[in-house]
Every structure is written in structure tokens, then in C-alpha cells.
Amino acid sequence: MSAALHKKRIGADAVAEKGWLRAHKWLILRRISQFGILGLFLLGPLAGIWIVKGNLNFSYTLGVLPLTDPYVALQSLTTGHVPETLGLIGVAIVVSFYLLVGGRVYCSWVCPVNVVTDAAGWLRNRLGIKGSVHLSRQTRYWVLGMTLVGSALTGVVLWELINPVSMLHRGLIFGLGMAWTVALSIFLFDLFVMSRGWCGRLCPVGAFYSLLGQWSPVRVTAPQRRACNDCMDCFEVCPEPQVIRPALKGEEKGVGPVILSADCTNCGRCIDVCSKDVFTFGMRFNNSASAVPLSAVQSESK
Amino acid sequence: MKSNSPKTNVARRQFIFDSARMACGVGMLGLGLGLYAKQSKALPALALRPPGALPEDDFLGACIRCGLCVRDCPYNTLELAKPEAPVATGTPYFTARNIPCEMCDDIPCVKACPTQALDHKLTDINKAKMGVAVLIDHETCLNFLGLRCDVCYRVCPVIDKAITLDMVPNVRTGRHAMFLPTVHSEHCTGCGKCEKSCVLEEAAIRVLPPKLAKGELGKHYRIGWEEQKKAGHSLIDESKMVDLPDRLPEGASLPGHYDPASGNTATARGTPGSEAGAIPSLPPGLGGKP
């Protein structure tokens, strides 16, 4: 990746080809989802309209729909405490939803920290910051394991003592206090210390949802992968770029076009920034290695 | 690739070192977090949990920090701990001196809890034990100064049970009574209305966690007069009780004193109605002797 390639902004080709709106479609939808959910939570305390009570750890919508964060509930379980029926129903609903749409949809469509780290990633790219401390993407799974073992040993819902995700979300709804410093430190960490450091390497919440969505049917897929012109924009914009290569470049190895890695957050940014419309949302089952004939791709991409 | 080729050996070594690095790095983070968790169990004395809260040890494992109790509290008593607060982040608490618990009959905060961190078995708010009020400063409490403030007594939702005014002579004036607010822990719910309403700059009565507020008798201790009441009679064989002569200065008298020389017993003194008033006019065990 030479410097010359980077003179162009990520997705500039897509904007030229498809127009700004279509080149930002999924990003806009995602922001609407993230801020919409936050807005629903804020309607109560700010305007007195109580549609949703609670926060991301547990919420109760219109007095009928309980939603429980399964990771927090699991930590609570390992301390030896079984929640109330309502809490358990909430776990079941949330788990079945993410089993279907992909666990890390939580990260990219719901989590408020995603906005912070996306902003850091964007600024990092704009400022051309290159250096980054290396840390394995497996680290988060170790942290996840540690929080579960730690919860069992201490009898405390361990990660909740410092969880920046719930700190920020709870802070915005119940009063921020010093929680903004935590959000700021994550922003600066991602910006200067480690590219995509928090969500991509450290956060056990994301790791948990990854595991949850291991077999989810809704996936980003690259059916038009033969149209790829190697512009690298998808790799540049992707928060988990390691997930793209097998699907995009795997045809000769007989690998299907569906992005199967559970690390994929289904954010859809690769779909946005691709000027050749290589990617789309699809199902994991349509994954035969050579599903689309080359001729069809060529005629379509024009 | 052969299983013992140098290449697999290197890969195996690499795998082991990578794992060790992760385990040690994350282990350190875990150790720090674990020690922090240990500390977080030390709830500050003035931070009170909502009614029905499990003991702090269990509470921190059960509470999922959702804030539904906060939302359903009609008096905005509860708040979720901010990261900088000395209470485990995100857990609900209240400070009696700011906004005390109003002891709603239907206890909405407990009903709202999705995890039983607030025990749903608590249905009578008078049985709540958020803490125990302690009249902590006898030097500044206006009633202890001999005045009639009585505010803590008047505002107590369990008036005359949880707080009573106990009359004692005011030895400073020699002619007045002092009405001392006295907390009875078995009835006190720890709502904190007394602490909130104490008229002093700093409250002289405060709600503390029961563990701080209460002493505890040795398990083997028996309180004689209570055992006697339970049994309906004295626990010892009174007929075998021997009253030893009291050594008194010449010419002095002692209420209830039995003088073996003369065989006389001085009259007992006691407040009418008190247990002391029931001291037998005859020395126990010597019934009918004088």
C-alpha cells in the first residue's frame, strides 16, 4: 500500500460512481440505528415519554418487552446468582435475535462506543497516522475468559466495574459524571496508540457477541468478487479487515464468497465504499465457490 | 510436513509463547480488576442500597446495573453510581441526607428489579432493612442538650416504634427532663428521614449499615430477665440463694439492704412500673425470715 494510493479518500471511487448517498447508505442507516436507540432511551429522562426504561444492560420497552444483555447476565450467573424470570426472558429474546442477524451487529448497530471508535478510525485515516502498537485480535477472547472466571472468583459482575460501553451508555441516560473521560481515552487510544484497538482487540463485549453470532445466517457476501479492481478501499474502511480476504480472494482456493468470520460486525461499510458493488448483504447458505458467472458480473458492473 | 520437523517445533514454541504472553498480560489485568472488585464491596457508610437489596457481597453479583429501580422510584431517591463515585459503578444507591426513602407501600423499586438483586420477597416496606439509624452525636443533638427538638422522632414513619423519646432527668438543671431520641433497630427500616430532617448543620442522627450500627452479643449470652420471662419463673432455685451481708459504713442505709445483725430489710426503691420497682421487698431466698 503505497502513499500514492492513499492520496485518494477511502470510498472516493464509490462516491464518484454511485453518488454520495449510495456510497454512505449503510453508514447512515447504522448511525440512525445507533442514535435512534439512544434517542429512545433518552426520550424518557429528557421528554418524559417513557417508551424504554433502563439501559443496554437491561431495558423494558412499553412494559412488555424485556431485553437483557446476555454477557452481563452470564457474568452474573457465574457469580452464582440466577436472575428473575423477566431478566431470563430478556436474555432469550436478545440471544435469539443476535443468533439470527449476527452477534456483532450489536457492535456496529447498537453500541455507543462504536461511534467513538469509528470517529477515531476516521480521523486516524484523515491525519494519515500510520504507527500502531501491535496486539493480537485474540486478546479480547482472553479478556472475555478472564472476566467470566474473575466473576466466578470474586462474586462481582466483574467487567461492569469498568465496562466503557455501559459506562458511556448509562452515563448518557442517567448522568455522565466522569464517564466522558473513559470515552475520550478510548478515542485517543484508538487514534494514537492502536488502530482499531478497543473494538477490534480488547473489548470482551464484542468478543462475546462474536461467539454468539458464530453461526448466524445473515452475512455480508461478495457475490460479484470477480469485479474487484483491488482498490483496497474495503480493507481500509473495514474495522476487522482480516475477515474480507478469504471471501473476496478465495475463489481460486474454492472458498465461497460469504464472509463467515464471526468477527465481521455486519456494518456494511465494505458495501458502501465499493465502487464495483462487489459486496451485499445475504445469507450464509448461498456460499458455493463459483456461483456467479464472470459474464454476468461484467454486464452488471457497468 | 513431518510432525517433528524444525518448522513445527518453531510453530509450537511460538504458540506456547503467544499463549503465555496473553495469559500473563490478561492475567495482570484480571488481578487488578479482581482487587478492585474486592475493594468495591466496601460500600461507604453513608451510601444506602434500595429496600430489599441483598447483602453487598451478593448484591454486586446479582445487580446488572440497569437502573430500572431508579426509574420506578417516584421520589428520585435512587441514583446509579457514576464512575468516580466510591460505590461500585452503575449500582443504585441513595444518600439519606440528600433524598431519603419515602417507604412506598407498593415498593416499586423492588418490583422493577429484573434480577432479584432487590429481593422480591420483600412485600412489607416496614420490614425493609436499608440501614439502622444511630443517634451518633450526643454532644450536639438538641434533645441531648435538654431542648425539645424532637424532629427526628416526629418525622419517623415508624414513630414510637423505631424512634422513641426516652425521658431521663436533666442533671444540669436538676429540675427538667431530657427526652432522648432512642432508635430501636428491630423496627428501624433505615429510610433516612430522620437523618434528612435533623436540623443541625451536620446531622446528629445518621443511617448506617446494620453491620456498622449494631453490636452483637456473644452467641452464648443469655439475658437473665428475658430468660426468666420466657420460663415464667426464676431460672435458679431461689430457696438456695444466700444473701451475703453487705458491708456498709456505720449509720449508712442501702435500699433493699438486709442486715443480718438486726434481721431487718430496708425498703427497696425504684421507679413505679420499672423492673427495678419489682425488686422483692424481701431478699430473695429469705422469704418470710424477717
Side-chain angles (χ1 to χ4, degrees):
Chain A
M1 281 173 264
S2 70
L5 258 172
H6 278 284
K7 285 204 176 125
K8 230 177 203 178
R9 299 254 307 265
I10 298 172
D13 291 345
V15 172
E17 194 90 8
K18 310 193 284 189
W20 189 90
L21 206 60
R22 267 197 66 213
H24 292 83
K25 178 178 150 192
W26 292 105
L27 180 65
I28 293 166
L29 287 175
R30 240 161 22 86
R31 294 290 178 251
I32 289 173
S33 162
Q34 286 163 335
F35 287 107
I37 289 168
L38 188 60
L40 278 178
F41 277 106
L42 281 172
L43 265 185
L46 293 187
I49 304 167
W50 292 102
I51 297 171
V52 188
K53 274 181 188 173
N55 57 40
L56 285 181
N57 286 4
F58 176 84
S59 65
Y60 205 28
T61 305
L62 295 170
V64 287
L65 176 68
L67 297 171
T68 314
D69 184 304
Y71 175 46
V72 178
L74 183 62
Q75 288 176 79
S76 181
L77 264 179
T78 58
T79 71
H81 182 86
V82 181
E84 174 74 347
T85 322
L86 195 66
L88 289 173
I89 295 171
V91 171
I93 294 174
V94 171
V95 165
S96 20
F97 177 73
Y98 286 113
L99 278 178
L100 205 67
V101 299
R104 293 205 68 197
V105 163
Y106 175 85
C107 298
S108 58
W109 292 76
V110 178
C111 179
V113 172
N114 175 268
V115 182
V116 176
T117 56
D118 269 2
W122 177 83
L123 192 60
R124 181 175 247 273
N125 186 267
R126 288 304 302 276
L127 296 178
I129 300 172
K130 281 285 170 287
S132 172
V133 175
H134 176 74
L135 190 65
S136 163
R137 286 188 182 269
Q138 300 303 311
T139 311
R140 51 190 155 180
Y141 295 103
W142 289 81
V143 176
L144 172 63
M146 177 272 285
T147 58
L148 294 177
V149 173
S151 292
L153 291 179
T154 59
V156 174
V157 179
L158 200 60
W159 191 246
E160 281 311 293
L161 291 176
I162 59 164
N163 186 358
V165 176
S166 49
M167 257 187 212
L168 179 60
H169 189 256
R170 188 192 306 117
L172 290 170
I173 298 166
F174 286 87
L176 200 54
M178 298 294 282
W180 66 271
T181 57
V182 179
L184 178 67
S185 76
I186 285 183
F187 177 80
L188 295 175
F189 177 78
D190 264 25
L191 181 60
F192 292 116
V193 183
M194 200 181 290
S195 170
R196 297 285 175 185
W198 181 258
C199 303
R201 293 156 213 277
L202 288 169
C203 179
V205 182
F208 175 85
Y209 279 100
S210 273
L211 295 178
L212 189 59
Q214 192 80 39
W215 295 281
S216 67
V218 179
R219 296 281 166 170
V220 174
T221 172
Q224 317 287 346
R225 54 185 168 180
R226 288 183 194 175
C228 173
N229 62 357
D230 294 329
C231 73
M232 300 301 284
D233 275 359
C234 56
F235 287 99
E236 287 294 318
V237 84
C238 181
E240 305 275 350
Q242 78 280 8
V243 308
I244 297 179
R245 181 169 298 279
L248 186 62
K249 298 294 171 194
E251 188 161 16
E252 281 136 46
K253 291 176 201 153
V255 180
V258 176
I259 293 176
L260 287 174
S261 167
D263 288 342
C264 174
T265 68
N266 277 5
C267 74
R269 280 299 277 154
C270 54
I271 306 175
D272 281 348
V273 300
C274 181
S275 60
K276 303 290 175 200
D277 280 335
V278 166
F279 298 96
T280 180
F281 275 113
M283 290 287 162
R284 71 182 299 145
F285 316 111
N286 308 326
N287 198 22
S288 65
S290 52
V292 186
L294 189 59
S295 55
V297 172
Q298 279 168 339
S299 64
E300 234 174 80
S301 62
K302 273 170 196 166
Chain B
M1 207 184 288
K2 280 178 222 154
S3 62
N4 269 334
S5 71
K7 215 173 175 183
T8 45
N9 268 341
V10 169
R12 187 184 302 132
R13 282 171 64 90
Q14 191 61 44
F15 172 77
I16 290 169
F17 285 138
D18 282 351
S19 302
R21 186 167 51 204
M22 279 295 160
C24 295
V26 174
M28 268 178 80
L29 175 67
L31 181 66
L33 208 51
L35 294 176
Y36 179 46
K38 206 89 187 152
Q39 272 187 33
S40 72
K41 288 179 183 173
L43 190 67
L46 290 184
L48 302 174
R49 293 296 185 197
L54 301 178
E56 191 64 9
D57 252 17
D58 302 330
F59 185 79
L60 291 182
C63 172
I64 58 171
R65 286 83 162 151
C66 68
L68 282 209
C69 52
V70 176
R71 287 297 179 235
D72 282 8
C73 172
Y75 300 96
N76 291 325
T77 300
L78 297 170
E79 60 177 314
L80 293 184
K82 301 193 169 91
E84 69 274 22
V87 179
T89 305
T91 54
Y93 74 103
F94 70 100
T95 312
R97 191 65 166 165
N98 297 341
I99 311 179
C101 172
E102 294 286 342
M103 289 175 60
C104 312
D105 276 335
D106 52 346
I107 335 182
C109 50
V110 172
K111 280 189 186 155
C113 179
T115 66
Q116 294 274 20
L118 306 181
D119 193 343
H120 287 213
K121 285 201 278 296
L122 179 76
T123 47
D124 177 5
I125 188 63
N126 289 316
K127 299 235 166 74
K129 270 277 165 283
M130 296 170 269
V132 174
V134 179
L135 208 156
I136 216 161
D137 190 356
H138 293 187
E139 292 174 338
T140 53
C141 170
L142 297 182
N143 276 36
F144 266 82
L145 295 178
L147 307 172
R148 290 300 300 276
C149 163
D150 297 1
V151 168
C152 56
Y153 164 74
R154 295 280 167 209
V155 299
C156 179
V158 202
I159 186 170
D160 281 329
K161 282 186 188 156
I163 303 183
T164 54
L165 291 179
D166 290 6
M167 198 168 58
V168 297
N170 184 340
V171 286
R172 179 176 59 82
T173 66
R175 66 186 76 179
H176 300 100
M178 293 199 294
F179 293 79
L180 304 184
T182 307
V183 178
H184 303 277
S185 62
E186 76 269 32
H187 294 296
C188 176
T189 63
C191 73
K193 294 207 78 164
C194 52
E195 180 177 342
K196 169 69 181 176
S197 55
C198 177
V199 301
L200 303 184
E201 292 283 309
E202 290 286 342
I205 189 165
R206 290 180 188 183
V207 178
L208 300 178
K211 218 172 153 187
L212 275 185
K214 295 273 296 165
E216 194 179 328
L217 287 174
K219 294 256 187 308
H220 59 290
Y221 278 38
R222 297 288 178 272
I223 296 171
W225 53 92
E226 283 183 359
E227 297 297 323
Q228 189 174 1
K229 230 182 256 170
K230 246 190 271 171
H233 55 81
S234 178
L235 297 183
I236 50 172
D237 185 355
E238 291 197 358
S239 65
K240 290 195 180 135
M241 248 173 89
V242 179
D243 190 34
L244 296 175
D246 305 301
R247 287 165 61 106
L248 285 180
E250 202 73 39
S253 77
L254 184 71
H257 170 61
Y258 163 67
D259 179 19
S262 64
N264 290 335
T265 304
T267 28
R269 192 174 65 192
T271 329
S274 75
E275 282 184 41
I279 286 176
S281 54
L282 299 174
L286 302 171
K289 208 182 215 178

